[in-house]
Amino acid sequence: MAEIKPGNWSHKVAETSDALDLEPGVFTLEDPRAIARSLRRSAERSRRRKTDPFRSAMSMLNYYINRAGCKLPEERRRHLEAAKDELRALYGRPRRR
C-alpha cells in the first residue's frame, strides 16, 4: 500500500471511500434543516454506502466537522451541530438538545 503524506489522507479518503456523493455547497448552507435534508437525499440516493442512510449522513457531517477542526468558525459549527439534531428528527430519532 502506498504511503500517504500527512495532510493528504483526507483527500484520499474522500476520493476512494464509500462516501456519499454530496450536493454542491451543502456545508455552506445557513439553515441546519436544509443541510440535514440535503444529506438525507444524498444518503438515500447513494448506492456506494455500506450502512443505513442515517448513519451514512451523520458520518459525513461528523467527518466534515472534524476535518475543519479549530478552523471552523463558531457560528458555522453551531449550524452544523444543529444540523445533526435536524438529521435525527428527519429519521425519527431523538434529538440530543
Side-chain angles (χ1 to χ4, degrees):
M1 181 171 194
E3 183 177 330
I4 300 170
K5 296 178 185 177
N8 292 338
W9 72 267
S10 62
H11 177 73
K12 180 151 178 78
V13 166
E15 292 294 317
T16 62
S17 76
D18 287 319
L20 303 177
D21 292 321
L22 300 175
E23 296 172 357
V26 62
F27 296 118
T28 62
L29 298 172
E30 294 292 323
D31 180 21
R33 187 156 176 83
I35 295 169
R37 284 192 313 253
S38 176
L39 287 169
R40 182 180 184 180
R41 278 191 301 272
S42 295
E44 290 179 352
R45 289 178 184 160
S46 176
R47 297 293 167 243
R48 296 182 348 174
R49 64 181 161 77
K50 291 186 177 181
T51 188
D52 63 275
F54 170 75
R55 287 179 53 186
S56 292
M58 187 64 77
S59 292
M60 189 57 73
L61 184 51
N62 280 317
Y63 176 77
Y64 181 81
I65 292 169
N66 291 339
R67 290 305 307 146
C70 62
K71 295 179 182 177
L72 190 62
E74 189 58 37
E75 183 178 356
R76 181 106 248 28
R77 182 177 296 276
R78 278 194 306 273
H79 288 282
L80 296 171
E81 291 293 336
K84 287 182 184 181
D85 274 340
E86 293 295 336
L87 193 56
R88 288 182 187 103
L90 287 173
Y91 281 98
R93 304 201 178 195
R95 292 178 181 255
R96 294 278 169 106
R97 299 177 190 214

